[in-house]
Amino acid sequence: MRVAVLAVQGAFIEHIHMLDRLGVATLELRNQDDLARPFDGLILPGGESTTMGRLLREQGMLAPLQKRISAGLPVFGTCAGMILLARYLSNQGEADPLPHFATMDIKVRRNAYGRQLGSFHTVAEMAGLPDFPMTFIRAPYIEAVGPGVEVLARVEGRIIAARQNNQLATSFHPELTADARVHELFLRMIKVADAA
Ligand code: GLN
């Protein structure tokens, strides 16, 4: 199994380190040529979604990856990565829409916690499992989900993790903690997809 990590901007190295720790081979995606190499899953890291979206388009990766996600490629977006997956963005400029995948049936609010609560840490349940350490950095949250979307976690009543078939998204950054369970959940999604 090989997991690709979008490496045009943002906190991709932390995901690579987590996958190294789990003994999983990785591939950094920087431009269209990298897409020729085989991979079984894709991680979209945190960072600046506007910059990542533009670079994805400029590097010719937006449309090919969108096609593969729609065809079932397992994908995991953290923070800005969640924004890249969201079908609807509740606060983006109409005049200059963000280039993004828009493959997941969720409505996401960017920088949703405002300035004061821009970054915080908490511990909460996810997918029925207790005590996930959760680091939020100018995080988005999910305002609404479509019928095919499973809500995996809420913090203070707000949806901060969800899954729709092959797509997993978290508002927080599991790669910045020592807890590998969210990545392990994603690796199980890849194994199931490979077996299908
Ligand atoms: N606020 C950032 C954005 O809108 C996301 C922050 C993050 O990924 N840590 O892209």
Side-chain angles (χ1 to χ4, degrees):
M1 179 200 296
R2 183 182 301 277
V3 174
V5 181
L6 182 66
V8 291
Q9 193 267 338
F12 57 90
I13 205 75
E14 289 82 356
H15 282 287
I16 303 264
H17 290 159
M18 180 66 91
L19 293 165
D20 285 348
R21 212 184 101 197
L22 295 170
V24 177
T26 55
L27 166 65
E28 294 182 15
L29 298 184
R30 295 179 199 281
N31 56 51
Q32 204 174 20
D33 293 343
D34 297 324
L35 301 184
R37 300 185 51 197
F39 55 92
D40 311 287
L42 169 65
I43 290 182
L44 307 172
E48 200 47 62
S49 54
T50 317
T51 308
M52 276 198 268
R54 287 207 189 105
L55 288 169
L56 272 167
R57 191 172 57 188
E58 275 169 36
Q59 297 301 323
M61 294 194 285
L62 188 65
L65 284 176
Q66 186 180 46
K67 211 165 148 190
R68 285 169 78 163
I69 295 167
S70 298
L73 175 73
V75 62
F76 172 25
T78 57
C79 201
M82 169 194 268
I83 295 167
L84 293 176
L85 290 174
R87 180 149 303 147
Y88 308 103
L89 300 174
S90 48
N91 50 342
Q92 72 159 337
E94 298 277 319
D96 185 20
L98 172 72
H100 70 301
F101 297 120
T103 44
M104 190 169 177
D105 201 6
I106 54 177
K107 182 177 177 189
V108 164
R109 173 166 290 272
R110 294 180 61 191
N111 299 321
Y113 291 92
R115 219 166 252 228
Q116 286 202 322
L117 272 179
S119 300
F120 62 100
H121 187 82
T122 191
V123 174
E125 185 182 297
M126 173 164 163
L129 298 169
D131 300 333
F132 282 81
M134 297 179 178
T135 299
F136 295 80
I137 303 169
R138 293 182 299 114
Y141 62 68
I142 300 174
E143 288 187 327
V145 300
V149 179
E150 182 189 357
V151 172
L152 297 179
R154 288 176 205 264
V155 166
E156 287 165 11
R158 276 154 180 165
I159 303 168
I160 49 87
R163 176 177 175 181
Q164 180 179 19
N165 303 317
N166 57 314
Q167 303 183 72
L168 175 67
T170 63
S171 300
F172 60 98
H173 290 266
E175 77 285 3
L176 299 183
T177 70
D179 194 319
R181 287 177 295 167
V182 183
H183 287 77
E184 285 166 352
L185 167 69
F186 180 56
L187 296 178
R188 283 198 296 278
M189 285 168 57
I190 297 176
K191 281 181 192 139
V192 169
D194 279 351

